[in-house]
Amino acid sequence: MSVPRGIVAVFAAASVLFTASAHAQEAKHYRFAYDQPKTTGYGILGDIFADKLKTLSKGTMLIDQYPGAQLGQEPQVLQLVKAGDVEFCISSSANAATLSPQAGVMSMHFLFRSEAHLIKAIGDPEVSKAVKAMIADTVQGAHVIGLATLGLRHMYSKREIRKIDDIKGLKVRVQATPTEDTMFPAYGAQIVHMPFGSVYTSLQTGVVDVAENGINVYLANKHYEVAPVLSLTEHEANNSLVWVSDKLWNSLTAEQQGWVQAAADEVNRTQPARAIELEHQSLEKLKSIGVKVVPDVDKSGFTVIADPYLDKLAKELGPHAEKIKTLIRAIN
């Protein structure tokens, strides 16, 4: 008995709808939080990770990015990831040190000799492996799947900083790590801790005299409006860790875990060079809008103080920190 064409068409349409519905149900969305605007190197990182994961999973694992501290500042978001309330996040290595103090090794002053050295070090598989092992040994509830960078950090203020004497006695906003708390006082500065979101008004009102960060972060957050002199001190790197909640990780299949790790590996390989290029573009933009850039900072006064601390601080932080420091310094 033949089936009328109309009924065949209905069945075919229903089959297409069912298949489409099944595919839609397979796609899952995951929150990826960070506290910088999407236009920064964090956005580059988020896009690389999201695109690679979507491709590998054939559209079944989709990343929803929450930039600009929509879900909270980094220390708060790290707690949300540990609790399983947010699936992925980016944190600076300095904020990672609030959970694992040995992560402060990534913020040690003049550990990275140049932008080229920084790109090679962050992309190095052995460095990445050592950082992951450090977090695995010291943090519960979340783990690190990749590294990234926003480039080198510089100081900015209403005044020029051409040599170490220029920051003596000044109030500098620093990240709350043992490294910063040791190094800036060693240079003769006063340290002030505060969330990143408070830096603009603190510079504006004089609560702090100096802040320090990457060039693009300085541009994207308009800190130049209240601190219009950027001194290229290159005193440390603006490194980042990519975190995943253990709650999510343990719910994934082995294949899905492989996709997530491969997406993070893609970040490790490609994000650093792209972030440095963004730093260069941002510097030209700042010059074009009238920001005073001091390129020829005399770093000798800083490095003569900082160099002995590299070994001392790493040893004090712990064995993981010592290993990471040694690996980074060995990269040419």
Side-chain angles (χ1 to χ4, degrees):
M1 185 180 73
S2 64
V3 179
R5 283 184 182 178
I7 293 176
V8 170
V10 168
F11 275 117
S15 175
V16 169
L17 285 171
F18 177 81
T19 303
S21 174
H23 282 302
Q25 287 171 358
E26 286 173 12
K28 289 190 176 180
H29 290 255
Y30 303 96
R31 288 156 296 189
F32 193 106
Y34 47 94
D35 74 354
Q36 293 298 322
K38 180 80 159 51
T39 51
T40 65
Y42 277 8
I44 292 174
L45 190 169
D47 286 346
I48 292 170
F49 185 76
D51 292 347
K52 188 69 173 179
L53 185 57
K54 182 179 179 180
T55 299
L56 292 171
S57 69
K58 295 182 171 57
T60 60
M61 298 183 76
L62 303 176
I63 295 296
D64 296 329
Q65 295 183 55
Y66 290 85
Q70 291 179 50
L71 302 184
Q73 298 287 335
E74 284 184 5
Q76 290 78 42
V77 171
L78 280 169
Q79 294 300 327
L80 292 172
V81 172
K82 281 184 66 181
D85 297 325
V86 171
E87 289 81 25
F88 298 96
C89 78
I90 308 168
S91 84
S92 67
S93 55
N95 279 319
T98 62
L99 298 183
S100 178
Q102 292 192 68
V105 66
M106 303 293 283
S107 303
M108 290 203 304
H109 285 205
F110 301 100
L111 173 62
F112 299 92
R113 296 185 295 274
S114 64
E115 288 180 335
H117 180 230
L118 175 61
I119 290 170
K120 286 180 76 172
I122 296 301
D124 185 85
E126 289 303 310
V127 172
S128 179
K129 182 179 172 183
V131 172
K132 290 173 190 173
M134 171 184 67
I135 298 298
D137 276 2
T138 55
V139 178
Q140 292 184 324
H143 65 275
V144 166
I145 52 176
L147 302 182
T149 191
L150 298 181
L152 295 170
R153 293 173 80 97
H154 314 277
M155 299 184 200
Y156 49 91
S157 178
K158 292 183 173 70
R159 65 188 87 190
E160 295 181 10
I161 297 164
R162 291 190 171 273
K163 57 187 183 304
I164 192 167
D165 289 345
D166 294 337
I167 70 161
K168 291 191 184 303
L170 297 185
K171 294 171 290 185
V172 183
R173 181 269 173 176
V174 303
Q175 304 168 100
T177 73
T179 302
E180 309 294 20
D181 290 352
T182 300
M183 294 315 307
F184 280 96
Y187 300 146
Q190 301 176 51
I191 58 171
V192 182
H193 294 163
M194 67 180 61
F196 179 79
S198 303
V199 173
Y200 184 102
T201 53
S202 296
L203 284 164
Q204 188 175 41
T205 58
V207 170
V208 296
D209 303 306
V210 181
E212 49 86 50
N213 219 309
I215 298 169
N216 179 256
V217 170
Y218 170 70
L219 170 66
N221 292 278
K222 299 187 176 181
H223 286 184
Y224 58 85
E225 294 177 347
V226 290
V229 183
L230 174 65
S231 301
L232 301 182
T233 51
E234 296 185 320
H235 55 278
E236 70 176 88
N238 221 3
N239 293 326
S240 314
L241 280 61
V242 186
W243 297 78
V244 61
S245 161
D246 283 347
K247 181 179 177 183
L248 169 65
W249 184 260
N250 294 333
S251 74
L252 300 177
T253 66
E255 184 180 36
Q256 289 172 322
Q257 289 176 351
W259 295 335
V260 169
Q261 188 56 63
D265 291 345
E266 183 75 6
V267 167
N268 247 141
R269 280 193 300 273
T270 62
Q271 189 271 352
R274 288 180 59 184
I276 297 297
E277 178 56 33
L278 182 61
E279 291 291 276
H280 296 169
Q281 293 168 4
S282 300
L283 187 62
E284 294 309 310
K285 171 74 172 175
L286 287 162
K287 289 177 180 175
S288 74
I289 59 177
V291 170
K292 182 172 182 59
V293 176
V294 180
D296 52 345
V297 176
D298 178 2
K299 298 174 194 157
S300 61
F302 293 101
T303 56
V304 75
I305 292 172
D307 283 351
Y309 278 102
L310 279 171
D311 292 332
K312 181 176 181 291
L313 281 172
K315 188 171 184 179
E316 288 175 359
L317 285 170
H320 287 292
E322 272 202 287
K323 180 176 182 179
I324 292 164
K325 180 264 302 179
T326 301
L327 285 168
I328 290 170
R329 292 184 83 181
I331 292 170
N332 295 314

